[in-house]
Amino acid sequence: MPTPDIAWAYPLLLKTHLGLVVTSVGLFSVRALAALQGQGWPLHKAWRRASEAVDTALLTAGASLWWLLQLNPLHTPWLGLKLGLLVVYIALGTVAMRSTASRSVRALFLLAALLCVAFMASVALARHPLGWWAP
């Protein structure tokens, strides 16, 4: 737990992090679904930059929580797995947004990305690497 002099920051950082998670996943989902429908706006530079800005803020809030709680992803199994799944989610999402992939491939990767982020959330909520399968 954070030291008493900075404990006030925890609820603020946690709410910020959770809000940014919802914003990031929501923006990705809307963009990916629109791209699947053949719309061009999801691939425009402004929308990509907006996603990058939200994701940068999300990573900053997450890293601030690690620092505040003195967590080390190398020594905290659930956090290490969550970060590994983040890399998988980014890779899946990248393919889901690729205009060069077929529509069925993009749909499959979108579904896989959303399942990945759902499992990441379960790992974070359970604070256990098995997430929703934790004992």
Side-chain angles (χ1 to χ4, degrees):
M1 218 50 209
T3 58
D5 58 331
I6 56 172
W8 61 268
Y10 176 74
L12 177 63
L13 276 172
L14 183 60
K15 286 178 183 175
T16 300
H17 182 70
L18 294 175
L20 288 166
V21 166
V22 170
T23 302
S24 176
V25 174
L27 185 55
F28 164 69
S29 299
V30 168
R31 287 179 63 223
L33 287 170
L36 274 176
Q37 294 175 350
Q39 297 180 22
W41 68 264
L43 302 176
H44 287 160
K45 188 176 185 175
W47 287 105
R48 288 194 327 264
R49 295 288 182 256
S51 289
E52 291 167 0
V54 170
D55 293 344
T56 299
L58 175 57
L59 185 58
T60 301
S64 298
L65 282 167
W66 306 339
W67 174 80
L68 190 69
L69 297 174
Q70 299 177 353
L71 294 175
N72 181 340
L74 298 175
H75 300 324
T76 309
W78 70 267
L79 182 57
L81 177 63
K82 186 179 158 200
L83 292 176
L85 288 171
L86 176 61
V87 174
V88 172
Y89 169 67
I90 291 168
L92 293 169
T94 299
V95 175
M97 293 299 297
R98 277 224 170 108
S99 59
T100 56
S102 71
R103 186 172 188 215
S104 58
V105 167
R106 288 184 290 143
L108 182 65
F109 275 76
L110 170 59
L111 178 61
L114 293 177
L115 288 172
C116 185
V117 81
F119 187 62
M120 285 171 58
S122 80
V123 168
L125 291 171
R127 291 191 177 201
H128 192 284
L130 294 178
W132 55 58
W133 291 300

